[in-house]
mmCIF file of all heavy atoms in Angstrom:
data_model
loop_
_atom_site.group_PDB
_atom_site.id
_atom_site.type_symbol
_atom_site.label_atom_id
_atom_site.label_comp_id
_atom_site.label_asym_id
_atom_site.label_seq_id
_atom_site.Cartn_x
_atom_site.Cartn_y
_atom_site.Cartn_z
ATOM 1 N N SER A 20 -3.078 -5.828 -7.058
ATOM 2 C CA SER A 20 -2.169 -5.703 -5.891
ATOM 3 C C SER A 20 -1.998 -4.226 -5.531
ATOM 4 O O SER A 20 -1.893 -3.875 -4.347
ATOM 5 C CB SER A 20 -0.792 -6.336 -6.190
ATOM 6 O OG SER A 20 -0.160 -5.676 -7.290
ATOM 7 N N GLN A 21 -1.969 -3.370 -6.521
ATOM 8 C CA GLN A 21 -1.810 -1.905 -6.244
ATOM 9 C C GLN A 21 -3.086 -1.309 -5.765
ATOM 10 O O GLN A 21 -3.124 -0.178 -5.140
ATOM 11 C CB GLN A 21 -1.261 -1.186 -7.460
ATOM 12 C CG GLN A 21 -0.661 0.134 -7.119
ATOM 13 C CD GLN A 21 0.263 0.714 -8.207
ATOM 14 O OE1 GLN A 21 -0.043 0.538 -9.407
ATOM 15 N NE2 GLN A 21 1.371 1.325 -7.819
ATOM 16 N N ASN A 22 -4.234 -1.956 -6.100
ATOM 17 C CA ASN A 22 -5.510 -1.389 -5.663
ATOM 18 C C ASN A 22 -5.587 -1.334 -4.111
ATOM 19 O O ASN A 22 -6.319 -0.525 -3.539
ATOM 20 C CB ASN A 22 -6.644 -2.282 -6.155
ATOM 21 C CG ASN A 22 -7.988 -1.618 -6.078
ATOM 22 O OD1 ASN A 22 -8.134 -0.376 -6.251
ATOM 23 N ND2 ASN A 22 -8.970 -2.419 -5.787
ATOM 24 N N ILE A 23 -4.870 -2.241 -3.445
ATOM 25 C CA ILE A 23 -4.811 -2.232 -2.002
ATOM 26 C C ILE A 23 -4.270 -0.960 -1.480
ATOM 27 O O ILE A 23 -4.780 -0.305 -0.549
ATOM 28 C CB ILE A 23 -3.981 -3.452 -1.457
ATOM 29 C CG1 ILE A 23 -4.687 -4.746 -1.781
ATOM 30 C CG2 ILE A 23 -3.779 -3.309 0.028
ATOM 31 C CD1 ILE A 23 -3.912 -6.020 -1.395
ATOM 32 N N PHE A 24 -3.201 -0.450 -2.169
ATOM 33 C CA PHE A 24 -2.581 0.804 -1.777
ATOM 34 C C PHE A 24 -3.600 2.001 -1.935
ATOM 35 O O PHE A 24 -3.718 2.802 -1.049
ATOM 36 C CB PHE A 24 -1.319 1.073 -2.663
ATOM 37 C CG PHE A 24 -0.705 2.404 -2.463
ATOM 38 C CD1 PHE A 24 0.268 2.595 -1.460
ATOM 39 C CD2 PHE A 24 -1.054 3.462 -3.220
ATOM 40 C CE1 PHE A 24 0.902 3.772 -1.262
ATOM 41 C CE2 PHE A 24 -0.446 4.714 -2.996
ATOM 42 C CZ PHE A 24 0.550 4.889 -1.991
ATOM 43 N N TYR A 25 -4.316 2.014 -3.011
ATOM 44 C CA TYR A 25 -5.243 3.116 -3.360
ATOM 45 C C TYR A 25 -6.389 3.135 -2.296
ATOM 46 O O TYR A 25 -6.811 4.216 -1.771
ATOM 47 C CB TYR A 25 -5.775 3.071 -4.696
ATOM 48 C CG TYR A 25 -4.713 3.190 -5.807
ATOM 49 C CD1 TYR A 25 -4.685 2.365 -6.887
ATOM 50 C CD2 TYR A 25 -3.767 4.154 -5.691
ATOM 51 C CE1 TYR A 25 -3.732 2.505 -7.894
ATOM 52 C CE2 TYR A 25 -2.812 4.312 -6.656
ATOM 53 C CZ TYR A 25 -2.779 3.526 -7.720
ATOM 54 O OH TYR A 25 -1.838 3.676 -8.695
ATOM 55 N N ARG A 26 -6.922 1.962 -1.932
ATOM 56 C CA ARG A 26 -8.032 1.866 -1.007
ATOM 57 C C ARG A 26 -7.578 2.270 0.413
ATOM 58 O O ARG A 26 -8.320 2.920 1.122
ATOM 59 C CB ARG A 26 -8.647 0.472 -1.046
ATOM 60 C CG ARG A 26 -9.330 0.126 -2.275
ATOM 61 C CD ARG A 26 -10.332 -0.971 -2.083
ATOM 62 N NE ARG A 26 -11.035 -1.292 -3.334
ATOM 63 C CZ ARG A 26 -12.100 -2.102 -3.442
ATOM 64 N NH1 ARG A 26 -12.497 -2.698 -2.313
ATOM 65 N NH2 ARG A 26 -12.696 -2.349 -4.538
ATOM 66 N N ALA A 27 -6.384 1.839 0.805
ATOM 67 C CA ALA A 27 -5.930 2.192 2.117
ATOM 68 C C ALA A 27 -5.556 3.672 2.200
ATOM 69 O O ALA A 27 -5.886 4.333 3.192
ATOM 70 C CB ALA A 27 -4.669 1.353 2.458
ATOM 71 N N TYR A 28 -4.992 4.235 1.152
ATOM 72 C CA TYR A 28 -4.578 5.631 1.176
ATOM 73 C C TYR A 28 -5.813 6.560 1.172
ATOM 74 O O TYR A 28 -5.726 7.680 1.665
ATOM 75 C CB TYR A 28 -3.655 5.938 0.055
ATOM 76 C CG TYR A 28 -3.058 7.315 0.061
ATOM 77 C CD1 TYR A 28 -2.008 7.599 0.887
ATOM 78 C CD2 TYR A 28 -3.491 8.300 -0.773
ATOM 79 C CE1 TYR A 28 -1.413 8.821 0.995
ATOM 80 C CE2 TYR A 28 -2.952 9.554 -0.711
ATOM 81 C CZ TYR A 28 -1.894 9.850 0.111
ATOM 82 O OH TYR A 28 -1.336 11.100 0.158
ATOM 83 N N ALA A 29 -6.903 6.089 0.565
ATOM 84 C CA ALA A 29 -8.078 6.924 0.414
ATOM 85 C C ALA A 29 -8.809 7.178 1.684
ATOM 86 O O ALA A 29 -9.716 8.020 1.777
ATOM 87 C CB ALA A 29 -8.984 6.389 -0.622
ATOM 88 N N THR A 30 -8.522 6.403 2.732
ATOM 89 C CA THR A 30 -9.214 6.554 4.034
ATOM 90 C C THR A 30 -8.716 7.818 4.805
ATOM 91 O O THR A 30 -7.696 8.339 4.475
ATOM 92 C CB THR A 30 -9.030 5.331 4.891
ATOM 93 O OG1 THR A 30 -7.641 5.134 5.168
ATOM 94 C CG2 THR A 30 -9.598 4.079 4.205
ATOM 95 N N GLU A 31 -9.443 8.161 5.813
ATOM 96 C CA GLU A 31 -9.035 9.315 6.656
ATOM 97 C C GLU A 31 -8.053 8.767 7.695
ATOM 98 O O GLU A 31 -8.355 8.736 8.926
ATOM 99 C CB GLU A 31 -10.280 9.922 7.312
ATOM 100 C CG GLU A 31 -11.204 10.549 6.255
ATOM 101 C CD GLU A 31 -12.438 11.214 6.919
ATOM 102 O OE1 GLU A 31 -12.664 11.006 8.113
ATOM 103 O OE2 GLU A 31 -13.163 11.887 6.219
ATOM 104 N N TRP A 32 -6.880 8.388 7.293
ATOM 105 C CA TRP A 32 -5.922 7.742 8.126
ATOM 106 C C TRP A 32 -5.401 8.605 9.227
ATOM 107 O O TRP A 32 -4.976 8.142 10.276
ATOM 108 C CB TRP A 32 -4.692 7.280 7.261
ATOM 109 C CG TRP A 32 -4.115 8.344 6.412
ATOM 110 C CD1 TRP A 32 -4.453 8.665 5.162
ATOM 111 C CD2 TRP A 32 -3.133 9.299 6.795
ATOM 112 N NE1 TRP A 32 -3.760 9.718 4.663
ATOM 113 C CE2 TRP A 32 -2.901 10.158 5.678
ATOM 114 C CE3 TRP A 32 -2.398 9.520 7.930
ATOM 115 C CZ2 TRP A 32 -2.022 11.169 5.722
ATOM 116 C CZ3 TRP A 32 -1.485 10.580 8.003
ATOM 117 C CH2 TRP A 32 -1.290 11.409 6.899
ATOM 118 N N TYR A 33 -5.471 9.925 9.039
ATOM 119 C CA TYR A 33 -4.937 10.811 10.092
ATOM 120 C C TYR A 33 -5.839 10.865 11.388
ATOM 121 O O TYR A 33 -5.445 11.371 12.388
ATOM 122 C CB TYR A 33 -4.933 12.279 9.504
ATOM 123 C CG TYR A 33 -6.115 12.724 8.782
ATOM 124 C CD1 TYR A 33 -7.265 13.234 9.412
ATOM 125 C CD2 TYR A 33 -6.230 12.521 7.371
ATOM 126 C CE1 TYR A 33 -8.406 13.590 8.737
ATOM 127 C CE2 TYR A 33 -7.352 12.898 6.694
ATOM 128 C CZ TYR A 33 -8.399 13.449 7.343
ATOM 129 O OH TYR A 33 -9.557 13.833 6.646
ATOM 130 N N LYS A 34 -6.985 10.230 11.290
ATOM 131 C CA LYS A 34 -7.911 10.125 12.469
ATOM 132 C C LYS A 34 -7.650 8.874 13.275
ATOM 133 O O LYS A 34 -8.250 8.669 14.359
ATOM 134 C CB LYS A 34 -9.367 10.173 12.017
ATOM 135 C CG LYS A 34 -9.770 11.425 11.325
ATOM 136 C CD LYS A 34 -11.238 11.405 10.985
ATOM 137 C CE LYS A 34 -11.685 12.708 10.254
ATOM 138 N NZ LYS A 34 -13.120 12.586 9.893
ATOM 139 N N PHE A 35 -6.811 7.942 12.753
ATOM 140 C CA PHE A 35 -6.619 6.656 13.417
ATOM 141 C C PHE A 35 -5.704 6.748 14.604
ATOM 142 O O PHE A 35 -4.922 7.741 14.728
ATOM 143 C CB PHE A 35 -6.064 5.625 12.403
ATOM 144 C CG PHE A 35 -6.904 5.361 11.240
ATOM 145 C CD1 PHE A 35 -6.367 4.719 10.103
ATOM 146 C CD2 PHE A 35 -8.304 5.754 11.219
ATOM 147 C CE1 PHE A 35 -7.175 4.488 9.004
ATOM 148 C CE2 PHE A 35 -9.034 5.546 10.109
ATOM 149 C CZ PHE A 35 -8.507 4.856 8.986
ATOM 150 N N SER A 36 -5.725 5.770 15.406
ATOM 151 C CA SER A 36 -4.803 5.687 16.552
ATOM 152 C C SER A 36 -3.405 5.335 16.071
ATOM 153 O O SER A 36 -3.283 4.934 14.930
ATOM 154 C CB SER A 36 -5.276 4.609 17.558
ATOM 155 O OG SER A 36 -5.194 3.329 16.866
ATOM 156 N N HIS A 37 -2.438 5.552 16.915
ATOM 157 C CA HIS A 37 -1.058 5.248 16.560
ATOM 158 C C HIS A 37 -0.837 3.830 16.152
ATOM 159 O O HIS A 37 -0.080 3.510 15.218
ATOM 160 C CB HIS A 37 -0.066 5.646 17.643
ATOM 161 C CG HIS A 37 0.001 7.147 17.913
ATOM 162 N ND1 HIS A 37 0.432 8.037 16.935
ATOM 163 C CD2 HIS A 37 -0.422 7.892 18.997
ATOM 164 C CE1 HIS A 37 0.416 9.246 17.417
ATOM 165 N NE2 HIS A 37 -0.122 9.189 18.652
ATOM 166 N N ARG A 38 -1.489 2.908 16.856
ATOM 167 C CA ARG A 38 -1.365 1.465 16.528
ATOM 168 C C ARG A 38 -1.833 1.174 15.129
ATOM 169 O O ARG A 38 -1.166 0.478 14.383
ATOM 170 C CB ARG A 38 -2.121 0.638 17.554
ATOM 171 C CG ARG A 38 -1.643 0.736 18.981
ATOM 172 C CD ARG A 38 -2.535 -0.017 19.915
ATOM 173 N NE ARG A 38 -2.331 -1.471 19.745
ATOM 174 C CZ ARG A 38 -3.193 -2.418 20.195
ATOM 175 N NH1 ARG A 38 -4.338 -2.018 20.784
ATOM 176 N NH2 ARG A 38 -2.936 -3.699 20.074
ATOM 177 N N LEU A 39 -2.980 1.736 14.768
ATOM 178 C CA LEU A 39 -3.591 1.492 13.445
ATOM 179 C C LEU A 39 -2.722 2.196 12.355
ATOM 180 O O LEU A 39 -2.601 1.658 11.232
ATOM 181 C CB LEU A 39 -5.009 1.902 13.342
ATOM 182 C CG LEU A 39 -6.044 0.969 14.018
ATOM 183 C CD1 LEU A 39 -7.464 1.597 13.919
ATOM 184 C CD2 LEU A 39 -6.029 -0.405 13.396
ATOM 185 N N LYS A 40 -2.207 3.355 12.689
ATOM 186 C CA LYS A 40 -1.438 4.096 11.728
ATOM 187 C C LYS A 40 -0.171 3.275 11.375
ATOM 188 O O LYS A 40 0.276 3.223 10.210
ATOM 189 C CB LYS A 40 -0.997 5.435 12.283
ATOM 190 C CG LYS A 40 -2.076 6.462 12.224
ATOM 191 C CD LYS A 40 -1.574 7.810 12.784
ATOM 192 C CE LYS A 40 -2.687 8.872 12.710
ATOM 193 N NZ LYS A 40 -2.215 10.164 13.314
ATOM 194 N N SER A 41 0.440 2.596 12.380
ATOM 195 C CA SER A 41 1.633 1.792 12.131
ATOM 196 C C SER A 41 1.322 0.623 11.188
ATOM 197 O O SER A 41 2.088 0.281 10.254
ATOM 198 C CB SER A 41 2.217 1.292 13.472
ATOM 199 O OG SER A 41 1.341 0.405 14.088
ATOM 200 N N LEU A 42 0.094 0.018 11.374
ATOM 201 C CA LEU A 42 -0.322 -1.094 10.466
ATOM 202 C C LEU A 42 -0.581 -0.592 9.067
ATOM 203 O O LEU A 42 -0.308 -1.230 8.093
ATOM 204 C CB LEU A 42 -1.504 -1.813 11.030
ATOM 205 C CG LEU A 42 -1.376 -2.529 12.367
ATOM 206 C CD1 LEU A 42 -2.644 -3.191 12.784
ATOM 207 C CD2 LEU A 42 -0.238 -3.548 12.300
ATOM 208 N N LEU A 43 -1.180 0.591 9.030
ATOM 209 C CA LEU A 43 -1.508 1.182 7.708
ATOM 210 C C LEU A 43 -0.221 1.534 6.955
ATOM 211 O O LEU A 43 -0.179 1.371 5.728
ATOM 212 C CB LEU A 43 -2.360 2.440 7.898
ATOM 213 C CG LEU A 43 -2.978 3.070 6.630
ATOM 214 C CD1 LEU A 43 -3.912 2.103 5.963
ATOM 215 C CD2 LEU A 43 -3.641 4.367 6.981
ATOM 216 N N LEU A 44 0.787 1.990 7.667
ATOM 217 C CA LEU A 44 2.080 2.248 6.998
ATOM 218 C C LEU A 44 2.665 0.964 6.388
ATOM 219 O O LEU A 44 3.254 1.018 5.292
ATOM 220 C CB LEU A 44 3.043 2.897 8.019
ATOM 221 C CG LEU A 44 2.863 4.322 8.314
ATOM 222 C CD1 LEU A 44 3.732 4.798 9.512
ATOM 223 C CD2 LEU A 44 3.051 5.248 7.106
ATOM 224 N N ILE A 45 2.543 -0.120 7.127
ATOM 225 C CA ILE A 45 3.031 -1.422 6.588
ATOM 226 C C ILE A 45 2.316 -1.764 5.313
ATOM 227 O O ILE A 45 2.899 -2.193 4.312
ATOM 228 C CB ILE A 45 2.867 -2.500 7.650
ATOM 229 C CG1 ILE A 45 3.765 -2.205 8.847
ATOM 230 C CG2 ILE A 45 3.208 -3.877 7.042
ATOM 231 C CD1 ILE A 45 3.541 -3.210 10.060
ATOM 232 N N THR A 46 0.984 -1.564 5.337
ATOM 233 C CA THR A 46 0.149 -1.870 4.145
ATOM 234 C C THR A 46 0.578 -1.026 2.943
ATOM 235 O O THR A 46 0.792 -1.454 1.814
ATOM 236 C CB THR A 46 -1.322 -1.643 4.426
ATOM 237 O OG1 THR A 46 -1.697 -2.448 5.529
ATOM 238 C CG2 THR A 46 -2.153 -2.013 3.232
ATOM 239 N N LEU A 47 0.741 0.303 3.208
ATOM 240 C CA LEU A 47 1.110 1.214 2.142
ATOM 241 C C LEU A 47 2.478 0.883 1.599
ATOM 242 O O LEU A 47 2.780 0.949 0.370
ATOM 243 C CB LEU A 47 1.082 2.645 2.660
ATOM 244 C CG LEU A 47 -0.273 3.190 3.050
ATOM 245 C CD1 LEU A 47 -0.176 4.600 3.690
ATOM 246 C CD2 LEU A 47 -1.237 3.266 1.822
ATOM 247 N N TYR A 48 3.419 0.496 2.483
ATOM 248 C CA TYR A 48 4.793 0.190 2.045
ATOM 249 C C TYR A 48 4.789 -1.053 1.187
ATOM 250 O O TYR A 48 5.435 -1.169 0.147
ATOM 251 C CB TYR A 48 5.671 -0.075 3.287
ATOM 252 C CG TYR A 48 7.063 -0.487 2.925
ATOM 253 C CD1 TYR A 48 8.005 0.393 2.425
ATOM 254 C CD2 TYR A 48 7.451 -1.790 3.125
ATOM 255 C CE1 TYR A 48 9.295 0.051 2.113
ATOM 256 C CE2 TYR A 48 8.742 -2.253 2.789
ATOM 257 C CZ TYR A 48 9.626 -1.317 2.299
ATOM 258 O OH TYR A 48 10.917 -1.735 1.977
ATOM 259 N N ARG A 49 4.032 -2.082 1.596
ATOM 260 C CA ARG A 49 3.966 -3.368 0.889
ATOM 261 C C ARG A 49 3.333 -3.251 -0.474
ATOM 262 O O ARG A 49 3.715 -3.880 -1.451
ATOM 263 C CB ARG A 49 3.191 -4.434 1.675
ATOM 264 C CG ARG A 49 4.017 -5.013 2.808
ATOM 265 C CD ARG A 49 3.137 -6.119 3.467
ATOM 266 N NE ARG A 49 3.766 -6.797 4.559
ATOM 267 C CZ ARG A 49 3.230 -7.719 5.312
ATOM 268 N NH1 ARG A 49 1.979 -8.061 5.089
ATOM 269 N NH2 ARG A 49 3.903 -8.261 6.327
ATOM 270 N N SER A 50 2.270 -2.433 -0.539
ATOM 271 C CA SER A 50 1.477 -2.337 -1.778
ATOM 272 C C SER A 50 1.874 -1.178 -2.671
ATOM 273 O O SER A 50 1.262 -1.026 -3.792
ATOM 274 C CB SER A 50 -0.013 -2.283 -1.465
ATOM 275 O OG SER A 50 -0.245 -1.171 -0.565
ATOM 276 N N ASN A 51 2.803 -0.332 -2.268
ATOM 277 C CA ASN A 51 3.171 0.785 -3.087
ATOM 278 C C ASN A 51 3.828 0.311 -4.382
ATOM 279 O O ASN A 51 3.530 0.835 -5.450
ATOM 280 C CB ASN A 51 4.210 1.669 -2.315
ATOM 281 C CG ASN A 51 4.591 2.885 -3.102
ATOM 282 O OD1 ASN A 51 3.774 3.500 -3.821
ATOM 283 N ND2 ASN A 51 5.848 3.302 -3.043
ATOM 284 N N LYS A 52 4.639 -0.710 -4.337
ATOM 285 C CA LYS A 52 5.205 -1.303 -5.490
ATOM 286 C C LYS A 52 4.397 -2.564 -5.835
ATOM 287 O O LYS A 52 4.327 -3.490 -5.087
ATOM 288 C CB LYS A 52 6.647 -1.720 -5.238
ATOM 289 C CG LYS A 52 7.348 -2.299 -6.548
ATOM 290 C CD LYS A 52 8.769 -2.660 -6.185
ATOM 291 C CE LYS A 52 9.478 -3.247 -7.433
ATOM 292 N NZ LYS A 52 10.866 -3.618 -7.196
ATOM 293 N N PRO A 53 3.659 -2.519 -6.984
ATOM 294 C CA PRO A 53 2.773 -3.651 -7.299
ATOM 295 C C PRO A 53 3.466 -4.961 -7.514
ATOM 296 O O PRO A 53 4.570 -4.960 -8.024
ATOM 297 C CB PRO A 53 2.020 -3.155 -8.584
ATOM 298 C CG PRO A 53 3.004 -2.214 -9.185
ATOM 299 C CD PRO A 53 3.725 -1.535 -8.074
ATOM 300 N N CYS A 54 2.790 -6.025 -7.134
ATOM 301 C CA CYS A 54 3.276 -7.393 -7.482
ATOM 302 C C CYS A 54 3.076 -7.566 -8.966
ATOM 303 O O CYS A 54 2.241 -6.965 -9.636
ATOM 304 C CB CYS A 54 2.553 -8.418 -6.668
ATOM 305 S SG CYS A 54 2.842 -8.347 -4.891
ATOM 306 N N GLY A 55 3.749 -8.507 -9.542
ATOM 307 C CA GLY A 55 3.656 -8.846 -10.930
ATOM 308 C C GLY A 55 4.458 -9.988 -11.371
ATOM 309 O O GLY A 55 5.149 -10.605 -10.571
ATOM 310 N N LEU A 56 4.322 -10.369 -12.646
ATOM 311 C CA LEU A 56 5.085 -11.467 -13.238
ATOM 312 C C LEU A 56 6.121 -10.908 -14.208
ATOM 313 O O LEU A 56 5.810 -9.890 -14.910
ATOM 314 C CB LEU A 56 4.099 -12.446 -13.947
ATOM 315 C CG LEU A 56 2.939 -12.962 -13.101
ATOM 316 C CD1 LEU A 56 2.067 -13.887 -13.959
ATOM 317 C CD2 LEU A 56 3.472 -13.694 -11.863
ATOM 318 N N LYS A 57 7.230 -11.524 -14.300
ATOM 319 C CA LYS A 57 8.268 -11.106 -15.234
ATOM 320 C C LYS A 57 8.788 -12.241 -16.068
ATOM 321 O O LYS A 57 8.739 -13.405 -15.669
ATOM 322 C CB LYS A 57 9.454 -10.515 -14.382
ATOM 323 C CG LYS A 57 9.128 -9.138 -13.726
ATOM 324 C CD LYS A 57 10.344 -8.544 -13.087
ATOM 325 C CE LYS A 57 10.067 -7.183 -12.493
ATOM 326 N NZ LYS A 57 11.273 -6.580 -11.871
ATOM 327 N N ALA A 58 9.258 -11.864 -17.232
ATOM 328 C CA ALA A 58 9.894 -12.831 -18.136
ATOM 329 C C ALA A 58 11.402 -12.719 -17.947
ATOM 330 O O ALA A 58 11.991 -11.673 -18.240
ATOM 331 C CB ALA A 58 9.512 -12.518 -19.602
ATOM 332 N N GLY A 59 11.991 -13.793 -17.424
ATOM 333 C CA GLY A 59 13.440 -13.738 -17.230
ATOM 334 C C GLY A 59 13.898 -12.775 -16.203
ATOM 335 O O GLY A 59 15.056 -12.296 -16.222
ATOM 336 N N ASN A 60 12.998 -12.423 -15.286
ATOM 337 C CA ASN A 60 13.300 -11.461 -14.200
ATOM 338 C C ASN A 60 13.701 -10.103 -14.780
ATOM 339 O O ASN A 60 14.362 -9.322 -14.068
ATOM 340 C CB ASN A 60 14.402 -12.014 -13.297
ATOM 341 C CG ASN A 60 14.322 -11.396 -11.882
ATOM 342 O OD1 ASN A 60 13.238 -10.971 -11.458
ATOM 343 N ND2 ASN A 60 15.423 -11.320 -11.184
ATOM 344 N N MET A 61 13.330 -9.841 -15.988
ATOM 345 C CA MET A 61 13.738 -8.540 -16.690
ATOM 346 C C MET A 61 12.525 -7.798 -17.211
ATOM 347 O O MET A 61 12.347 -6.609 -16.963
ATOM 348 C CB MET A 61 14.735 -8.824 -17.785
ATOM 349 C CG MET A 61 16.071 -9.438 -17.350
ATOM 350 S SD MET A 61 17.142 -9.647 -18.774
ATOM 351 C CE MET A 61 16.236 -10.872 -19.708
ATOM 352 N N ILE A 62 11.678 -8.523 -17.967
ATOM 353 C CA ILE A 62 10.630 -7.889 -18.735
ATOM 354 C C ILE A 62 9.281 -8.114 -17.972
ATOM 355 O O ILE A 62 8.911 -9.281 -17.793
ATOM 356 C CB ILE A 62 10.499 -8.488 -20.156
ATOM 357 C CG1 ILE A 62 11.876 -8.374 -20.879
ATOM 358 C CG2 ILE A 62 9.399 -7.818 -20.923
ATOM 359 C CD1 ILE A 62 11.905 -9.093 -22.204
ATOM 360 N N PRO A 63 8.624 -7.091 -17.554
ATOM 361 C CA PRO A 63 7.344 -7.274 -16.915
ATOM 362 C C PRO A 63 6.296 -7.732 -17.862
ATOM 363 O O PRO A 63 6.196 -7.231 -19.000
ATOM 364 C CB PRO A 63 7.006 -5.869 -16.346
ATOM 365 C CG PRO A 63 7.766 -4.912 -17.222
ATOM 366 C CD PRO A 63 9.030 -5.670 -17.633
ATOM 367 N N LEU A 64 5.478 -8.698 -17.435
ATOM 368 C CA LEU A 64 4.410 -9.204 -18.282
ATOM 369 C C LEU A 64 3.255 -8.291 -18.097
ATOM 370 O O LEU A 64 2.564 -8.298 -17.074
ATOM 371 C CB LEU A 64 4.093 -10.647 -17.910
ATOM 372 C CG LEU A 64 5.182 -11.641 -18.206
ATOM 373 C CD1 LEU A 64 4.807 -13.023 -17.672
ATOM 374 C CD2 LEU A 64 5.484 -11.713 -19.688
ATOM 375 N N SER A 65 2.935 -7.506 -19.100
ATOM 376 C CA SER A 65 1.850 -6.502 -19.025
ATOM 377 C C SER A 65 1.321 -6.257 -20.398
ATOM 378 O O SER A 65 1.843 -6.743 -21.438
ATOM 379 C CB SER A 65 2.386 -5.226 -18.407
ATOM 380 O OG SER A 65 3.417 -4.656 -19.237
#
């Protein structure tokens, strides 16, 4: 899940149009905090 953040951030995003930049920001925001599983909503399973 966090690999999405790294791949999106590694692009030359500063060359994109404003529309694409707004979508890229959404992607970075969603994937900045990785998804995962937890035990009892407390302990991350890792």
Side-chain angles (χ1 to χ4, degrees):
S20 63
Q21 200 164 35
N22 194 38
I23 294 176
F24 176 88
Y25 296 136
R26 291 201 177 189
Y28 188 76
T30 60
E31 296 179 348
W32 52 269
Y33 46 84
K34 296 180 181 179
F35 300 164
S36 65
H37 290 297
R38 297 175 74 195
L39 283 177
K40 282 181 181 177
S41 64
L42 296 182
L43 189 62
L44 283 173
I45 295 173
T46 304
L47 294 174
Y48 176 77
R49 284 182 177 177
S50 56
N51 183 37
K52 184 179 180 181
C54 296
L56 306 178
K57 290 186 176 181
N60 205 25
M61 298 181 295
I62 305 171
L64 294 175
S65 62

